[in-house]
Amino acid sequence: MDFVYMPADQNPIARMVLMLRSNADPLQLVPSVKEVVRTLDANMPMMQTRAYEDLYLNQAVKGPAIAVKLVGAMGAVGLLLAIAGLYGLVAYNVSRRTREIGITYSHWRASLGCVAPGHG
């Protein structure tokens, strides 16, 4: 893998990241690293100091998990709207054809030889 090192004055980057590897607790190194950075450049701020596990969890696990939950919730709302729409469509068609269904049912019972209750 090739690397090109550019001077920060010629290629300014609004945000820089410093990553360290340690066998000990990485957050215990923060004060000494801040002191070293301060000795190199007193105007260089060092913000958002955190362990790599926290960075990984926030960027690679929690961010996509929130997106998945949001998409799932929108899918559930869409499914509920589709179910409500189909229910309304079926209810409307049944209400329009109730008389026709009753006539068909009475003809079917008559063809089987059934007598309507109260008429026999």
Side-chain angles (χ1 to χ4, degrees), residues 64-81:
I66 291 171
V68 166
K69 288 177 186 176
L70 184 63
V71 169
M74 286 195 278
V77 168
L79 181 64
L80 289 175
L81 286 172

Side-chain angles (χ1 to χ4, degrees), residues 7 19 31 57 60 103 120:
M19 299 181 83
L57 283 176
I103 292 170

Side-chain angles (χ1 to χ4, degrees), residues 22-76:
S22 169
N23 291 332
D25 182 24
L27 295 179
Q28 290 179 350
L29 294 174
V30 171
S32 59
V33 171
K34 282 187 177 183
E35 186 61 36
V36 170
V37 169
R38 221 175 281 122
T39 58
L40 294 173
D41 186 1
N43 295 327
M44 175 94 47
M46 202 167 148
M47 302 176 292
Q48 295 183 356
T49 306
R50 55 188 168 192
Y52 184 75
E53 289 84 15
D54 297 336
L55 178 70
Y56 176 77
L57 283 176
N58 287 334
Q59 290 186 351
V61 177
K62 291 181 183 175
I66 291 171
V68 166
K69 288 177 186 176
L70 184 63
V71 169
M74 286 195 278

